[in-house]
Amino acid sequence: MKTIRLRDGKERSVLRRHPWVFQGSIAKGGGDAGETVRVEAHDGRFLAWAAFSPSSQIRARAWSFDEAERIDEAFFECRLRAAIALRGRLAIASDGVRLVHGEADGLPGLIVDRYGEVLSAQFLSAGTERWREVIAQQLCALTGVQRLYERSDSGVRGLEGLEPRTGWMRGAADATTEVTITEHGWTLGLDVAKGHKTGYYLDQRDNRKRFADLVRQLGCKRVLNCYSYTGGFSVAALAGGAEAVTSVDSSGPALEQARRNIERNGLDAARCEFLDADVNQMLRDALKAGRRFDAIVLDPPKFAPSAAHADRASRAYKDINRLALKLLEPGGLLLTFSCSGGIGAELFHKIVAGAGLDAEVDGYLLQRLEAAPDHPTTICFPEGEYLKGLAILRR
Ligand code: SAH
C-alpha cells in the first residue's frame, strides 16, 4: 500500500473530514493515477484512504476516513447503495434524479443522473476513472436500469490528466440518446449525448415549480427567461398562466428543444419568442427598445469556477442583474441565480443589492433559493454548496 505523508499541521482539514488533499500539503509519497493511497499525518497517524491524482492540484480525494475500510468493489456498492437509498427518502417530484452528487455522497468526482430508464454519468477524477467499470456495473445492478451513457467530457477532467470520453457504457451503441422525463407533471425532453453536462439541469427542478406558482400568484403576463437552455422555466411560466414568454440562450439546439418542450406540454408556442442571442446584448437591446417584463429569470452559467474568479464574476453578475431590474415592471418578479462555487450566498446577495442601487430599484426578498435536495451539501464539505438564488419582488 502506498502512502502519502502530510506536512505538520496539514492534517487538520482531513481530520475535519474534508475530502481534498492539496499538492502543497504533501511532504512525501505518491502513487499512480487513481491508485488508493494511505494518507497519514506528519507523525504517521492514519487520516484517510484516498485516490491519488498525480497531475491535479487536488492531489488526493478521500474515499474513506475509516482505517478499517477497504476500497474495493464492496466499498463502491455500499456507497452507491446509500446514495440511491437517500434519493428514495427525499421529496423528488420527477423521474429525473441526481443519484450521485460527488463528494456529498462520499464519491468524489462521480456524478450520476437518472433520466427515467437511462443513466448519465460523469467520471471526473482519477479515482473514479480507475473504478469506472465497477461503478458502471453496480449502478445498473442497483437501479435495474440497463442503459448507461458516459458524459466524461467536462473540462475538469483535463485538470486530472484525463482525456474526454463519451458514449454508451451499457445498452445498445446505436440507441437513441433522447429521453423524456416528467418533472412536477411536465414532460421534458433532453438528449444525454448532445445536452449540457449529463443532459439537463436537475438542480433547478423545484425552483422551476416555484416560479410557476409565483407567476400564477402574482399574475405575471410577460416573462423573460434568460439563459433558458431547454426552456424549463419557460414551460413553468406558461403553466403558471404567462401570456408571452421570451426565451434567450446562445445555444440554437437548446432553443429548439425548448420549443418542443413547450409543445409537448400542450402549451402555446405561438405565445413564445426564442432568441438565439447573447443575454448581455439582448438585455441592453430590450432596454433601448423600451420593453418591460412582469417576470424575469436569470440563470447564467458559472461565471466564477473558483474564488479566484470572484471579482470579475461579481461584475458580470451585477451587470445582468442591474439590467434585469430595470426591465422589470414595478411589482414584477425576478428570479436570479448564481451556480458559481466561488460566489457564496452572502456575496451574491451583496452583488444583487449593488445592482439594485445602480438601477435605482428596490425590492422585497421573497425567497432564498437553492439546489433541489438530490444535490445535497454535507456539513463537512461546505464547498459543495454552489447554487444560490433570490426571488425578488420589485417595489
Ligand atoms: N435555466 C436553465 C439552465 C441554464 S444553464 C434550466 O432551467 O434548465 C445556462 C445556459 O446559458 C446554457 O444553456 C448556455 O447555453 C447559456 N449561455 C451561456 N452563456 C450565454 C450568453 N452569454 N448568452 C446567452 N446564453 C448563454
Side-chain angles (χ1 to χ4, degrees):
M1 176 58 60
K2 292 187 187 160
T3 295
I4 55 175
R5 180 165 288 199
L6 303 192
R7 296 179 196 284
D8 194 357
K10 296 296 184 187
E11 71 282 4
R12 271 193 295 252
S13 75
V14 189
L15 284 171
R16 278 190 265 112
R17 300 192 160 227
H18 190 289
W20 294 352
V21 177
F22 287 92
Q23 178 203 2
S25 305
I26 300 174
K28 63 173 185 184
D32 296 332
E35 187 176 0
T36 301
V37 294
R38 178 189 153 96
V39 182
E40 57 184 39
H42 69 104
D43 55 5
R45 245 182 325 156
F46 171 87
L47 295 172
W49 300 113
F52 195 72
S53 185
S55 51
S56 174
Q57 286 290 326
I58 305 173
R59 199 49 61 96
R61 290 166 201 258
W63 291 127
S64 170
F65 303 95
D66 176 359
E67 190 165 10
E69 195 148 39
R70 287 287 155 266
I71 309 307
D72 53 14
E73 294 192 15
F75 166 82
F76 286 97
E77 186 186 335
C78 181
R79 287 282 159 98
L80 291 170
R81 194 185 285 282
I84 293 164
L86 170 69
R87 275 60 183 184
R89 303 182 65 203
L90 299 173
I92 299 171
S94 179
D95 59 351
V97 182
R98 171 144 304 185
L99 293 181
V100 182
H101 190 53
E103 277 75 357
D105 286 300
L107 293 165
L110 181 65
I111 299 294
V112 184
D113 288 334
R114 177 175 185 164
Y115 297 117
E117 288 310 304
V118 175
L119 300 174
S120 184
Q122 296 182 307
F123 300 87
L124 302 176
S125 59
T128 52
E129 178 77 5
R130 181 96 159 199
W131 291 94
R132 179 174 163 271
E133 268 305 323
V134 166
I135 290 167
Q137 192 258 323
Q138 290 177 349
L139 278 171
C140 291
L142 289 167
T143 57
V145 175
Q146 310 292 326
R147 300 166 64 203
L148 168 62
Y149 198 84
E150 176 173 15
R151 282 299 303 269
S152 299
D153 54 346
S154 162
V156 299
R157 262 174 77 96
L159 303 175
E160 296 278 312
L162 302 168
E163 295 292 320
R165 194 194 305 101
T166 60
W168 289 107
M169 284 186 75
R170 295 289 187 281
D174 59 351
T176 175
T177 52
E178 284 172 36
V179 193
T180 56
I181 58 167
T182 308
E183 173 183 289
H184 286 292
W186 302 313
T187 305
L188 300 167
L190 59 104
D191 192 315
V192 291
K194 299 186 193 121
H196 296 174
K197 311 221 172 182
T198 66
Y200 188 58
Y201 294 90
L202 293 170
D203 51 1
Q204 290 284 28
R205 175 193 310 117
D206 297 343
N207 296 326
R208 287 185 281 261
K209 171 70 165 100
R210 228 166 252 135
F211 187 58
D213 293 345
L214 285 168
V215 163
R216 177 163 304 284
Q217 187 187 319
L218 299 168
C220 303
K221 299 299 174 210
R222 294 158 301 169
V223 174
L224 173 61
N225 180 9
C226 296
Y227 310 97
S228 65
Y229 189 48
T230 54
F233 281 102
S234 304
V235 168
L238 290 164
E243 285 174 2
V245 178
T246 302
S247 307
V248 191
D249 203 282
S250 54
S251 158
L255 289 170
E256 281 164 33
Q257 183 71 271
R259 178 188 293 277
R260 285 198 294 279
N261 280 336
I262 285 159
E263 288 164 352
R264 266 188 190 104
N265 289 282
L267 298 164
D268 189 358
R271 297 180 178 194
C272 298
E273 178 187 20
F274 301 91
L275 299 179
D276 186 342
D278 172 40
V279 164
N280 295 278
Q281 192 56 48
M282 184 275 162
L283 292 174
R284 284 181 169 76
D285 293 347
L287 208 56
K288 257 192 222 142
R291 292 185 72 172
R292 290 294 178 272
F293 297 93
D294 305 307
I296 300 180
V297 177
L298 288 179
D299 185 19
K302 210 188 283 175
F303 289 161
S306 75
H309 304 80
D311 272 357
R312 226 175 96 193
S314 298
R315 285 194 291 279
Y317 284 119
K318 187 176 169 188
D319 201 39
I320 55 171
N321 278 280
R322 176 180 60 83
L323 294 165
L325 285 167
K326 284 189 163 191
L327 282 167
L328 263 190
E329 287 289 6
L333 172 70
L334 173 66
L335 247 63
T336 180
F337 297 96
S338 161
C339 61
S340 295
I343 306 265
E346 208 179 322
L347 175 57
F348 185 59
H349 190 162
K350 282 196 184 133
I351 292 168
V352 177
L357 272 181
D358 283 5
E360 298 182 36
V361 167
D362 202 355
Y364 298 99
L365 193 50
L366 289 186
Q367 288 179 11
R368 292 171 192 280
L369 307 168
E370 57 187 10
D374 48 341
H375 300 62
T377 310
T378 57
I379 55 178
C380 296
F381 186 63
E383 289 93 330
E385 199 156 23
Y386 66 105
L387 182 66
K388 70 282 307 175
L390 300 170
I392 295 165
L393 191 65
R394 191 191 148 154
R395 284 234 280 232

